[in-house]
C-alpha cells in the first residue's frame, strides 16, 4: 500500500495570503499530498504590536482562508506549545501524529536560505522531504549553494507542470519548484492596510473582512 503523504507548511502567516495558498495548491497537486497542514508559529505576546497580530488572530485567519480547501488543515500545534517554534520539535510531533506518513516540509526559498540558523537543521533535513518554492526576487540557483553546497546532490528541480515521480521518493530529497509563486508578501499587505490602500485579491475575502472587522494591522498609536 502507498504511504500517506503529508505536507507541513509553517510560517508567521501575518496574515495568510494568496501566495501561500497558490504555492500549497501546486505542491499538493504535483506531489499528490493527502493533506497539507498550515502551522502558524507562536510568537510571544510581548512581541505583539501593530506589526504582529496575536496567535489567536493569525490562526483564525488561517482557518478562514482554508475553509474552502478540503485538503488544507489549520494546525495550532506550535501556538499551543507556547514556546519558541523550532521546526525540529514540530516535525517530531507531526511524526508522532502520523507515524507511517511521508512528511514534506514546504517552505519558500527565503526561508530555506536561512536554514543554517535553525536548531538541529541537519536532523530536520535527514528526517523528511523538503519542498522549496521560488519567490520573486530570488533565484532557485541560490538554494544549491546553501550549507556550502553540501546538500546539492539531494536537490531535484521540478520543471513547470511536471509531476514528481514516485521513484524520486526513495530517499529524502529536496525538491525545488520554480515559478509557481505569486508576488504577494505579508509585509506589503500590512503596509497597505496602514496606508489605507486596498488589499483586494491579495488575501481571501473572508480574511480581508476579518482584518477590517477586528481592526488588525492598523497603527494603534496613530
Ligand atoms: P513577511 O512578508 O511578513 O516576511 P511572508 O509573506 O514571507 O511574510 P510567512 O508567513 O513568513 O509570509 O511565510 C511562510 C512561508 O511561506 C515561508 O516559507 C515563505 O517563504 C513562504 N511564502 C510566503 N509568501 C510566498 C509566496 N508569495 N510564494 C511562495 N511562498 C511564499
Amino acid at each position: 500500500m502507498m504511504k500517506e503523504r503529508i505536507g507541513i507548511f509553517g510560517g508567521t502567516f501575518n496574515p495568510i495570503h494568496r501566495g501561500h495558498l497558490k504555492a500549497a495548491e501546486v505542491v499538493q497537486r504535483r506531489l499528490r499530498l493527502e493533506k497539507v497542514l498550515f502551522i502558524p508559529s507562536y510568537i510571544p505576546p510581548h512581541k505583539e504590536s501593530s506589526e504582529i497580530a496575536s496567535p489567536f488572530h493569525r490562526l483564525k485567519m488561517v482557518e478562514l482562508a482554508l475553509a474552502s480547501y478540503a485538503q488544507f488543515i489549520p494546525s495550532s500545534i506550535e501556538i499551543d506549545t507556547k514556546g519558541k517554534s523550532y521546526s525540529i520539535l514540530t516535525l517530531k510531533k507531526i511524526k508522532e501524529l502520523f507515524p507511517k506518513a511521508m512528511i514534506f516540509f514546504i517552505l519558500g526559498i527565503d526561508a530555506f536560505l536561512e536554514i543554517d540558523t535553525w536548531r538541529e537543521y541537519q536532523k530536520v533535513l535527514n528526517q523528511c522531504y523538503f519542498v522549496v518554492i521560488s519567490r520573486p526576487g530570488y533565484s532557485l540557483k541560490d538554494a544549491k549553494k546553501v550549507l556550502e553546497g553540501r546538500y546539492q546532490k539531494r536537490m531535484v528541480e521540478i520543471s513547470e507542470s511536471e509531476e514528481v515521480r514516485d521513484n524520486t521518493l526513495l530517499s529524502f530529497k529536496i525538491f525545488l519548484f520554480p515559478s509557481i509563486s505569486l508576488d504577494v508578501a505579508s509585509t506589503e499587505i500590512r503596509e497597505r492596510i496602514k496606508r489605507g490602500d486596498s488589499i483586494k485579491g491579495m488575501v481571501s475575502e473572508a480574511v480581508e473582512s476579518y482584518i477590517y472587522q477586528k481592526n488588525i494591522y492598523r497603527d494603534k498609536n496613530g
Side-chain angles (χ1 to χ4, degrees):
M1 212 187 81
M2 287 249 284
K3 279 194 191 169
E4 188 181 22
R5 299 180 187 181
I6 293 180
I8 55 177
F9 194 15
T12 319
F13 297 124
N14 184 41
I16 184 167
H17 54 65
R18 293 235 189 256
H20 297 127
L21 295 168
K22 164 85 190 306
E25 273 175 49
V26 175
V27 169
Q28 193 234 331
R29 195 166 57 237
R30 303 255 190 96
L31 279 158
R32 284 177 270 123
L33 306 179
E34 265 78 39
K35 29 180 173 292
V36 178
L37 306 183
F38 283 62
I39 312 178
S41 54
Y42 178 73
I43 293 172
H46 66 262
K47 284 203 171 172
E48 266 171 47
S49 61
S50 62
E51 278 296 314
I52 304 180
S54 69
F56 176 85
H57 282 327
R58 289 183 291 109
L59 178 62
K60 187 76 198 166
M61 291 188 280
V62 168
E63 288 169 357
L64 290 169
L66 304 190
S68 53
Y69 295 88
Q71 286 136 318
F72 291 176
I73 320 282
S75 166
S76 60
I77 196 165
E78 290 192 356
I79 285 177
D80 294 343
T81 309
K82 292 202 164 50
K84 204 166 179 319
S85 301
Y86 291 112
S87 299
I88 186 71
L89 297 181
T90 303
L91 183 62
K92 187 164 170 264
K93 286 185 192 154
I94 298 288
K95 287 193 166 232
E96 282 162 10
L97 288 173
F98 305 99
K100 297 214 173 102
M102 301 164 88
I103 309 292
F104 294 79
F105 197 112
I106 304 167
L107 75 179
I109 182 154
D110 54 315
F112 185 67
L113 292 179
E114 292 180 355
I115 196 165
D116 61 341
T117 66
W118 296 13
R119 183 164 138 183
E120 300 185 76
Y121 64 83
Q122 276 148 324
K123 269 200 190 162
V124 185
L125 284 162
N126 286 330
Q127 290 181 11
C128 64
Y129 300 85
F130 265 67
V131 181
V132 181
I133 311 151
S134 67
R135 285 188 78 173
Y138 293 87
S139 163
L140 272 183
K141 290 200 178 67
D142 294 338
K144 305 221 162 165
K145 295 184 216 139
V146 153
L147 303 169
E148 281 93 50
R150 272 180 280 136
Y151 287 84
Q152 203 173 333
K153 279 210 210 84
R154 279 198 206 182
M155 295 185 185
V156 181
E157 276 183 58
I158 303 300
S159 65
E160 214 123 338
S161 76
E162 181 186 353
E163 272 207 25
V164 177
R165 289 193 309 275
D166 287 351
N167 62 8
T168 51
L169 297 170
L170 296 172
S171 60
F172 287 134
K173 294 279 175 22
I174 299 170
F175 297 103
L176 307 178
F177 279 76
S179 60
I180 61 168
S181 56
L182 299 180
D183 194 1
V184 186
S186 301
T187 308
E188 198 199 335
I189 294 168
R190 294 192 303 271
E191 284 169 0
R192 279 172 171 265
I193 293 167
K194 249 192 214 136
R195 288 199 307 262
D197 290 347
S198 165
I199 56 163
K200 208 153 248 357
M202 300 175 84
V203 299
S204 67
E205 277 170 29
V207 171
E208 186 180 345
S209 312
Y210 187 83
I211 290 174
Y212 292 126
Q213 194 193 336
K214 303 288 176 190
N215 209 17
I216 310 171
Y217 306 124
R218 302 298 286 267
D219 198 340
K220 301 211 163 75
N221 307 311

PDB file of all heavy atoms in Angstrom, residues 21-38:
ATOM      1  N   LEU A  21      -1.412  30.217  -0.487  1.00  0.00           N
ATOM      2  CA  LEU A  21      -2.419  29.254  -0.971  1.00  0.00           C
ATOM      3  C   LEU A  21      -2.032  28.687  -2.332  1.00  0.00           C
ATOM      4  O   LEU A  21      -2.113  27.480  -2.559  1.00  0.00           O
ATOM      5  CB  LEU A  21      -3.801  29.928  -1.036  1.00  0.00           C
ATOM      6  CG  LEU A  21      -4.362  30.361   0.322  1.00  0.00           C
ATOM      7  CD1 LEU A  21      -5.577  31.258   0.151  1.00  0.00           C
ATOM      8  CD2 LEU A  21      -4.725  29.138   1.171  1.00  0.00           C
ATOM      9  N   LYS A  22      -1.594  29.584  -3.217  1.00  0.00           N
ATOM     10  CA  LYS A  22      -1.224  29.130  -4.566  1.00  0.00           C
ATOM     11  C   LYS A  22      -0.061  28.129  -4.499  1.00  0.00           C
ATOM     12  O   LYS A  22      -0.077  27.075  -5.135  1.00  0.00           O
ATOM     13  CB  LYS A  22      -0.846  30.353  -5.415  1.00  0.00           C
ATOM     14  CG  LYS A  22      -0.080  30.078  -6.691  1.00  0.00           C
ATOM     15  CD  LYS A  22      -0.993  29.729  -7.852  1.00  0.00           C
ATOM     16  CE  LYS A  22      -0.281  29.210  -9.095  1.00  0.00           C
ATOM     17  NZ  LYS A  22       0.779  30.048  -9.631  1.00  0.00           N
ATOM     18  N   ALA A  23       0.948  28.465  -3.709  1.00  0.00           N
ATOM     19  CA  ALA A  23       2.113  27.582  -3.600  1.00  0.00           C
ATOM     20  C   ALA A  23       1.683  26.212  -3.060  1.00  0.00           C
ATOM     21  O   ALA A  23       2.064  25.166  -3.604  1.00  0.00           O
ATOM     22  CB  ALA A  23       3.157  28.220  -2.684  1.00  0.00           C
ATOM     23  N   ALA A  24       0.858  26.218  -2.015  1.00  0.00           N
ATOM     24  CA  ALA A  24       0.426  24.948  -1.425  1.00  0.00           C
ATOM     25  C   ALA A  24      -0.420  24.137  -2.403  1.00  0.00           C
ATOM     26  O   ALA A  24      -0.312  22.909  -2.470  1.00  0.00           O
ATOM     27  CB  ALA A  24      -0.353  25.214  -0.139  1.00  0.00           C
ATOM     28  N   GLU A  25      -1.242  24.833  -3.195  1.00  0.00           N
ATOM     29  CA  GLU A  25      -2.075  24.121  -4.181  1.00  0.00           C
ATOM     30  C   GLU A  25      -1.220  23.377  -5.195  1.00  0.00           C
ATOM     31  O   GLU A  25      -1.464  22.212  -5.504  1.00  0.00           O
ATOM     32  CB  GLU A  25      -2.931  25.122  -4.977  1.00  0.00           C
ATOM     33  CG  GLU A  25      -4.237  25.477  -4.341  1.00  0.00           C
ATOM     34  CD  GLU A  25      -4.958  26.569  -5.142  1.00  0.00           C
ATOM     35  OE1 GLU A  25      -5.092  26.446  -6.378  1.00  0.00           O
ATOM     36  OE2 GLU A  25      -5.360  27.564  -4.513  1.00  0.00           O
ATOM     37  N   VAL A  26      -0.211  24.076  -5.725  1.00  0.00           N
ATOM     38  CA  VAL A  26       0.630  23.455  -6.751  1.00  0.00           C
ATOM     39  C   VAL A  26       1.419  22.289  -6.168  1.00  0.00           C
ATOM     40  O   VAL A  26       1.479  21.202  -6.745  1.00  0.00           O
ATOM     41  CB  VAL A  26       1.582  24.502  -7.388  1.00  0.00           C
ATOM     42  CG1 VAL A  26       2.535  23.829  -8.363  1.00  0.00           C
ATOM     43  CG2 VAL A  26       0.790  25.587  -8.080  1.00  0.00           C
ATOM     44  N   VAL A  27       1.993  22.508  -5.008  1.00  0.00           N
ATOM     45  CA  VAL A  27       2.796  21.456  -4.380  1.00  0.00           C
ATOM     46  C   VAL A  27       1.923  20.240  -4.053  1.00  0.00           C
ATOM     47  O   VAL A  27       2.296  19.092  -4.296  1.00  0.00           O
ATOM     48  CB  VAL A  27       3.485  22.004  -3.097  1.00  0.00           C
ATOM     49  CG1 VAL A  27       4.096  20.881  -2.288  1.00  0.00           C
ATOM     50  CG2 VAL A  27       4.532  23.043  -3.466  1.00  0.00           C
ATOM     51  N   GLN A  28       0.742  20.506  -3.539  1.00  0.00           N
ATOM     52  CA  GLN A  28      -0.158  19.412  -3.180  1.00  0.00           C
ATOM     53  C   GLN A  28      -0.495  18.554  -4.399  1.00  0.00           C
ATOM     54  O   GLN A  28      -0.473  17.327  -4.338  1.00  0.00           O
ATOM     55  CB  GLN A  28      -1.432  19.992  -2.580  1.00  0.00           C
ATOM     56  CG  GLN A  28      -2.290  18.961  -1.889  1.00  0.00           C
ATOM     57  CD  GLN A  28      -3.715  18.938  -2.389  1.00  0.00           C
ATOM     58  OE1 GLN A  28      -4.232  19.951  -2.838  1.00  0.00           O
ATOM     59  NE2 GLN A  28      -4.323  17.793  -2.320  1.00  0.00           N
ATOM     60  N   ARG A  29      -0.761  19.224  -5.515  1.00  0.00           N
ATOM     61  CA  ARG A  29      -1.138  18.511  -6.737  1.00  0.00           C
ATOM     62  C   ARG A  29       0.041  17.736  -7.315  1.00  0.00           C
ATOM     63  O   ARG A  29      -0.052  16.559  -7.621  1.00  0.00           O
ATOM     64  CB  ARG A  29      -1.648  19.535  -7.744  1.00  0.00           C
ATOM     65  CG  ARG A  29      -2.398  18.940  -8.909  1.00  0.00           C
ATOM     66  CD  ARG A  29      -3.161  19.982  -9.687  1.00  0.00           C
ATOM     67  NE  ARG A  29      -2.307  21.049 -10.192  1.00  0.00           N
ATOM     68  CZ  ARG A  29      -2.470  22.348  -9.931  1.00  0.00           C
ATOM     69  NH1 ARG A  29      -3.442  22.755  -9.150  1.00  0.00           N
ATOM     70  NH2 ARG A  29      -1.657  23.247 -10.448  1.00  0.00           N
ATOM     71  N   ARG A  30       1.163  18.389  -7.417  1.00  0.00           N
ATOM     72  CA  ARG A  30       2.305  17.746  -8.075  1.00  0.00           C
ATOM     73  C   ARG A  30       2.892  16.597  -7.262  1.00  0.00           C
ATOM     74  O   ARG A  30       3.463  15.670  -7.800  1.00  0.00           O
ATOM     75  CB  ARG A  30       3.411  18.768  -8.338  1.00  0.00           C
ATOM     76  CG  ARG A  30       2.965  19.934  -9.159  1.00  0.00           C
ATOM     77  CD  ARG A  30       3.482  19.836 -10.580  1.00  0.00           C
ATOM     78  NE  ARG A  30       3.222  21.095 -11.219  1.00  0.00           N
ATOM     79  CZ  ARG A  30       4.113  22.073 -11.320  1.00  0.00           C
ATOM     80  NH1 ARG A  30       5.347  21.902 -10.891  1.00  0.00           N
ATOM     81  NH2 ARG A  30       3.785  23.208 -11.873  1.00  0.00           N
ATOM     82  N   LEU A  31       2.790  16.712  -5.936  1.00  0.00           N
ATOM     83  CA  LEU A  31       3.348  15.642  -5.097  1.00  0.00           C
ATOM     84  C   LEU A  31       2.269  14.689  -4.608  1.00  0.00           C
ATOM     85  O   LEU A  31       2.542  13.767  -3.869  1.00  0.00           O
ATOM     86  CB  LEU A  31       4.087  16.246  -3.901  1.00  0.00           C
ATOM     87  CG  LEU A  31       5.501  16.730  -4.195  1.00  0.00           C
ATOM     88  CD1 LEU A  31       5.943  17.764  -3.183  1.00  0.00           C
ATOM     89  CD2 LEU A  31       6.481  15.574  -4.192  1.00  0.00           C
ATOM     90  N   ARG A  32       1.058  14.951  -5.024  1.00  0.00           N
ATOM     91  CA  ARG A  32      -0.100  14.140  -4.625  1.00  0.00           C
ATOM     92  C   ARG A  32      -0.149  13.953  -3.103  1.00  0.00           C
ATOM     93  O   ARG A  32      -0.133  12.846  -2.579  1.00  0.00           O
ATOM     94  CB  ARG A  32      -0.092  12.802  -5.360  1.00  0.00           C
ATOM     95  CG  ARG A  32      -0.554  12.977  -6.805  1.00  0.00           C
ATOM     96  CD  ARG A  32      -0.495  11.695  -7.595  1.00  0.00           C
ATOM     97  NE  ARG A  32       0.795  11.547  -8.241  1.00  0.00           N
ATOM     98  CZ  ARG A  32       1.617  10.523  -8.085  1.00  0.00           C
ATOM     99  NH1 ARG A  32       1.283   9.530  -7.319  1.00  0.00           N
ATOM    100  NH2 ARG A  32       2.770  10.489  -8.717  1.00  0.00           N
ATOM    101  N   LEU A  33      -0.175  15.076  -2.409  1.00  0.00           N
ATOM    102  CA  LEU A  33      -0.244  15.042  -0.944  1.00  0.00           C
ATOM    103  C   LEU A  33      -1.693  14.840  -0.511  1.00  0.00           C
ATOM    104  O   LEU A  33      -2.600  15.438  -1.084  1.00  0.00           O
ATOM    105  CB  LEU A  33       0.289  16.353  -0.351  1.00  0.00           C
ATOM    106  CG  LEU A  33       1.688  16.791  -0.785  1.00  0.00           C
ATOM    107  CD1 LEU A  33       2.069  18.119  -0.131  1.00  0.00           C
ATOM    108  CD2 LEU A  33       2.729  15.726  -0.460  1.00  0.00           C
ATOM    109  N   GLU A  34      -1.884  14.004   0.487  1.00  0.00           N
ATOM    110  CA  GLU A  34      -3.247  13.775   1.005  1.00  0.00           C
ATOM    111  C   GLU A  34      -3.744  15.017   1.731  1.00  0.00           C
ATOM    112  O   GLU A  34      -4.889  15.394   1.625  1.00  0.00           O
ATOM    113  CB  GLU A  34      -3.281  12.606   1.998  1.00  0.00           C
ATOM    114  CG  GLU A  34      -3.647  11.287   1.380  1.00  0.00           C
ATOM    115  CD  GLU A  34      -2.489  10.670   0.644  1.00  0.00           C
ATOM    116  OE1 GLU A  34      -1.355  10.777   1.143  1.00  0.00           O
ATOM    117  OE2 GLU A  34      -2.702  10.108  -0.441  1.00  0.00           O
ATOM    118  N   LYS A  35      -2.843  15.603   2.511  1.00  0.00           N
ATOM    119  CA  LYS A  35      -3.212  16.857   3.162  1.00  0.00           C
ATOM    120  C   LYS A  35      -1.998  17.749   3.363  1.00  0.00           C
ATOM    121  O   LYS A  35      -0.871  17.277   3.371  1.00  0.00           O
ATOM    122  CB  LYS A  35      -3.932  16.655   4.497  1.00  0.00           C
ATOM    123  CG  LYS A  35      -3.635  15.437   5.318  1.00  0.00           C
ATOM    124  CD  LYS A  35      -4.498  15.494   6.589  1.00  0.00           C
ATOM    125  CE  LYS A  35      -4.455  14.267   7.436  1.00  0.00           C
ATOM    126  NZ  LYS A  35      -5.025  13.070   6.968  1.00  0.00           N
ATOM    127  N   VAL A  36      -2.298  19.020   3.532  1.00  0.00           N
ATOM    128  CA  VAL A  36      -1.250  19.980   3.886  1.00  0.00           C
ATOM    129  C   VAL A  36      -1.678  20.664   5.187  1.00  0.00           C
ATOM    130  O   VAL A  36      -2.767  21.237   5.268  1.00  0.00           O
ATOM    131  CB  VAL A  36      -1.051  21.045   2.787  1.00  0.00           C
ATOM    132  CG1 VAL A  36       0.024  22.050   3.213  1.00  0.00           C
ATOM    133  CG2 VAL A  36      -0.686  20.409   1.447  1.00  0.00           C
ATOM    134  N   LEU A  37      -0.812  20.559   6.207  1.00  0.00           N
ATOM    135  CA  LEU A  37      -1.098  21.238   7.480  1.00  0.00           C
ATOM    136  C   LEU A  37      -0.455  22.621   7.442  1.00  0.00           C
ATOM    137  O   LEU A  37       0.730  22.743   7.151  1.00  0.00           O
ATOM    138  CB  LEU A  37      -0.502  20.453   8.654  1.00  0.00           C
ATOM    139  CG  LEU A  37      -0.856  18.980   8.797  1.00  0.00           C
ATOM    140  CD1 LEU A  37      -0.223  18.413  10.064  1.00  0.00           C
ATOM    141  CD2 LEU A  37      -2.366  18.812   8.877  1.00  0.00           C
ATOM    142  N   PHE A  38      -1.245  23.639   7.714  1.00  0.00           N
ATOM    143  CA  PHE A  38      -0.730  25.008   7.808  1.00  0.00           C
ATOM    144  C   PHE A  38      -0.499  25.302   9.287  1.00  0.00           C
ATOM    145  O   PHE A  38      -1.444  25.222  10.091  1.00  0.00           O
ATOM    146  CB  PHE A  38      -1.738  26.007   7.242  1.00  0.00           C
ATOM    147  CG  PHE A  38      -1.786  26.050   5.737  1.00  0.00           C
ATOM    148  CD1 PHE A  38      -2.157  24.939   4.995  1.00  0.00           C
ATOM    149  CD2 PHE A  38      -1.467  27.229   5.065  1.00  0.00           C
ATOM    150  CE1 PHE A  38      -2.205  24.991   3.603  1.00  0.00           C
ATOM    151  CE2 PHE A  38      -1.527  27.291   3.673  1.00  0.00           C
ATOM    152  CZ  PHE A  38      -1.897  26.172   2.949  1.00  0.00           C
TER     153      PHE A  38
END
